[in-house]
Amino acid sequence: MVVKITDKMKFSRSFDYVDNGIEHGVLSKFEPKEILLKKGTLIAEGFKPLNCDIKMLKDVPVKLRDGVTIYTDIYLPNNCKKVPTLIAWSPYGKSAGTAPRYKNLFNMLGMGNAWNSGLTKFEAPDPSYWCAHGYAVCNPDMRGIAHSEGNTTMVGSQEDQDGYDLIEWIASQEWSNSKTALTGTSYLAFSQWYIAAEQPPHLTCINPTEGLSDGYRDLAFIGGIPDKNFIERLQVNHVSAKGAKRENLVKEMDCYPLATAEVWKDKVADTSKITVPAFVIASYSNTLHTMGTFRSWRNLGSKEKWLRIHDKQEWPYYYDKDNVEELRRFFDYYLLDKDNGWNKTSQVRYSLIDFQGNNTNDISTGTFPPSETSNTKYFFNPLTRTLQDNAGKTDVVLRYDTQSLPGKISFQKTFDKKTTFVGYPKLKLYMEVENYNDMDVFVWLQKLDKFGNVLWKVNEKLDTELREFKNYIFQSLLETCNQDLNASFLYCNRSQCI
């Protein structure tokens, strides 16, 4: 039966699934069958021709432990060998690689669509590449999506169990070598924290590329501040051809505003339970995923784990040719038993942001933060608005009006020698607000040039002029004082900056 927590969830009717072979991709019409896709086939205009023959098992039914049937597409090399399987778990439509919304998104980002075959589920591995290298790719429509039965839930124990059941089903198939891996970015990353924590016997390794790990802190109430807009956009993907219901997180935010609610506690990943090898990808560029990725890395129970912190945004990183080749080394080592030296890869590689385009990448170390870093305390000087080495002898109250410009208080520190910031910044404050009993606090850590101009991290996307401006560290959102938001947030307590 479905997990008990669903009794407390708030559901709405799913959006209608348009089964016209356009809205959700050219291969999205429900047609259970086997298809041989020949090398050179062009799935849709603007995409890359297939670079090998692929056997597609379309709309394959998989029965879950409670009797609900979900449907998945399986892409296999066209040979008789038993192969490992890469699984892309998300609600984004198993055949939606050529859907107009995703074509337009990658065009807007400057990536175009010629980097993939059109068989690529959004944020997932490209079957054309992986089948050519001896892998199967499994693209499921999770519970309640498209023609899959049941009602859709959004991260937590129901997806844990469903992912577990799919993995064990794959391991029993005649074409499977019984080894599986989870991979993908964003939703396909944070679903990995939850599924892997269930410890499916035939899950061999995981590759989370930037994914949140706490549905309350990282998604719904970021640092305690509600953000309904992104969730409303995300839930548009919950489409059903069978009149299913979808978990409505916006309703749950209104009904359960506190993190102590059972619904939100069910959406916290316990990555200490993950024991399989993990190749974790993080960046400083995504305020949705950055905190959760670092938090998961720190708590990860895997003895064999690697962290790579890059200087880009998740989609250009995940689909970069060299990065895909490196990911294949990881998978080849664990899924194909190739002695390729992956185990000698540095456990941690990180990037330093230069602000003038000369970033330094893949700095090797054994830990994160690097063991050679040191924590330095600075204290606020309210009179000079600077950071100083020692606490002042008297307290001074500083006030600002939140309803007028600049609506902030700032402090500066000028360094007399080159200084590198690596790791997790922390902030302690005492604050109060007049005539209110609650407050939202935004904390920025920024770098200024000698003229006082704020410098920004610039992400160049492929060969375009499209640029994405991000803060160097994190724009941290804090709800109240004395709330522990974990080390990857800047968190509130007393007038001392660490």
Side-chain angles (χ1 to χ4, degrees):
M1 46 187 302
V2 294
V3 297
K4 188 171 179 57
I5 191 62
T6 56
D7 294 342
K8 298 183 181 297
M9 293 177 179
K10 304 299 178 183
F11 286 89
S12 297
R13 189 180 186 279
S14 295
F15 299 97
D16 291 332
Y17 181 76
V18 182
D19 199 2
N20 61 1
I22 299 174
E23 181 73 15
H24 299 289
V26 298
L27 293 175
S28 64
K29 291 183 69 66
F30 187 71
E31 299 174 310
K33 60 182 178 180
E34 180 178 313
I35 307 171
L36 179 60
L37 301 171
K38 299 293 291 183
K39 179 179 179 179
T41 298
L42 189 66
I43 301 300
E45 184 178 354
F47 291 85
K48 181 172 60 177
L50 301 184
N51 58 1
C52 67
D53 291 349
I54 296 176
K55 183 190 296 184
M56 180 184 182
L57 309 181
K58 192 175 185 305
D59 293 309
V60 180
V62 179
K63 184 164 287 190
L64 306 176
R65 68 185 69 181
D66 64 342
V68 163
T69 296
I70 65 171
Y71 292 90
T72 184
D73 291 343
I74 308 289
Y75 298 94
L76 299 164
N78 188 33
N79 56 45
C80 298
K81 295 181 179 180
K82 292 182 179 291
V83 293
T85 306
L86 307 182
I87 302 168
W89 185 273
S90 77
Y92 292 145
K94 59 184 175 57
S95 305
T98 57
R101 63 185 180 277
Y102 297 135
K103 289 171 59 179
N104 294 338
L105 172 64
F106 287 117
N107 283 331
M108 179 187 70
L109 291 174
M111 293 175 63
N113 292 279
W115 51 268
N116 86 106
S117 65
L119 301 177
T120 310
K121 186 179 184 180
F122 181 53
E123 301 182 330
D126 185 356
S128 180
Y129 173 88
W130 290 100
C131 287
H133 291 92
Y135 290 83
V137 174
C138 174
N139 290 346
D141 274 337
M142 53 187 255
R143 181 184 295 254
I145 299 298
H147 292 271
S148 292
E149 299 172 355
N151 297 324
T152 301
T153 62
M154 200 169 168
V155 305
S157 53
Q158 186 65 69
E159 283 195 45
D160 297 355
Q161 292 187 6
D162 292 351
Y164 180 112
D165 293 350
L166 176 65
I167 288 169
E168 296 309 299
W169 175 87
I170 289 171
S172 70
Q173 301 306 298
E174 61 179 6
W175 43 262
S176 171
N177 74 350
S178 298
K179 293 187 175 185
T180 67
L182 294 163
T183 185
T185 181
S186 193
Y187 197 108
L188 287 82
F190 63 76
S191 62
Q192 294 180 52
W193 307 128
Y194 301 88
I195 296 172
E198 281 286 295
Q199 300 183 355
H202 290 94
L203 178 63
T204 307
C205 56
I206 60 173
N207 166 234
T209 301
E210 300 195 51
L212 60 86
S213 62
D214 185 325
Y216 185 92
R217 283 194 286 177
D218 299 342
L219 178 62
F221 295 85
I222 303 179
I225 301 176
D227 180 10
K228 294 181 178 180
N229 179 64
F230 181 73
I231 287 178
E232 288 172 339
R233 293 166 54 197
L234 192 62
Q235 292 184 154
V236 171
N237 295 284
H238 294 174
V239 294
S240 174
K242 297 190 173 182
K245 294 181 179 180
R246 59 182 176 87
E247 183 185 6
N248 191 324
L249 265 66
V250 172
K251 286 185 177 180
E252 291 172 352
M253 290 173 69
D254 292 334
C255 187
Y256 307 118
L258 301 181
T260 53
E262 291 299 316
V263 163
W264 299 118
K265 289 166 68 175
D266 186 63
K267 300 184 188 301
V268 179
D270 185 357
T271 59
S272 69
K273 294 181 179 179
I274 297 175
T275 58
V276 296
F279 182 23
V280 180
I281 309 300
S283 82
Y284 311 120
S285 299
N286 191 317
T287 53
L288 179 66
H289 297 313
T290 294
M291 286 76 76
T293 307
F294 282 110
R295 185 188 308 121
S296 295
W297 159 259
R298 289 198 303 275
N299 297 330
L300 204 59
S302 305
K303 293 182 179 179
E304 300 170 89
K305 62 179 184 178
W306 288 265
L307 174 67
R308 187 179 184 189
I309 307 168
H310 63 88
D311 65 344
K312 297 179 173 60
Q313 190 263 354
E314 68 257 39
W315 298 320
Y317 174 90
Y318 187 73
Y319 293 115
D320 176 81
K321 181 180 177 181
D322 291 339
N323 296 334
V324 172
E325 290 288 325
E326 180 181 59
L327 178 58
R328 183 161 65 90
R329 287 186 59 237
F330 171 72
F331 284 147
D332 282 355
Y333 185 80
Y334 287 106
L335 299 174
L336 294 177
D337 298 319
K338 290 187 177 181
D339 186 10
N340 57 15
W342 173 264
N343 57 320
K344 296 181 176 62
T345 303
S346 296
Q347 187 176 20
V348 175
R349 288 170 290 163
Y350 65 94
S351 298
L352 292 181
I353 308 304
D354 174 69
F355 291 106
Q356 294 180 322
N358 300 314
N359 299 343
T360 305
N361 294 303
D362 290 328
I363 303 170
S364 296
T365 184
T367 61
F368 193 83
S371 58
E372 60 269 25
T373 60
S374 59
N375 292 328
T376 303
K377 291 183 179 180
Y378 297 105
F379 296 85
F380 293 137
N381 184 322
L383 301 178
T384 62
R385 296 289 182 89
T386 59
L387 299 178
Q388 60 188 30
D389 295 335
N390 300 303
K393 295 182 179 180
T394 59
D395 288 337
V396 177
V397 176
L398 294 181
R399 300 174 182 267
Y400 68 95
D401 184 357
T402 62
Q403 304 303 311
S404 62
L405 295 177
K408 65 180 181 181
I409 291 179
S410 59
F411 299 84
Q412 293 186 14
K413 169 68 176 177
T414 300
F415 294 87
D416 56 9
K417 62 181 180 180
K418 185 175 181 179
T419 304
T420 299
F421 286 83
V422 180
Y424 311 118
K426 306 172 188 178
L427 180 70
K428 294 182 179 180
L429 298 169
Y430 274 156
M431 297 182 68
E432 67 175 353
V433 60
E434 296 177 344
N435 302 320
Y436 291 90
N437 59 9
D438 192 15
M439 67 177 118
D440 295 335
V441 181
F442 296 73
V443 179
W444 284 18
L445 177 60
Q446 299 175 311
K447 183 177 181 180
L448 310 179
D449 67 12
K450 62 182 180 180
F451 302 108
N453 299 312
V454 177
L455 300 179
W456 300 92
K457 162 71 172 66
V458 178
N459 281 345
E460 294 285 355
K461 294 199 171 58
L462 303 183
D463 296 323
T464 74
E465 293 299 320
L466 184 66
R467 295 182 176 184
E468 178 181 51
F469 295 94
K470 300 289 184 180
N471 266 53
Y472 169 44
I473 315 258
F474 311 127
Q475 175 182 333
S476 297
L477 313 177
L478 310 177
E479 181 185 20
T480 61
C481 293
N482 299 316
Q483 180 182 7
D484 181 8
L485 297 182
N486 215 324
S488 58
F489 266 130
L490 306 179
Y491 60 87
C492 234
N493 200 348
R494 181 73 175 161
S495 301
Q496 156 178 312
C497 182
I498 301 176

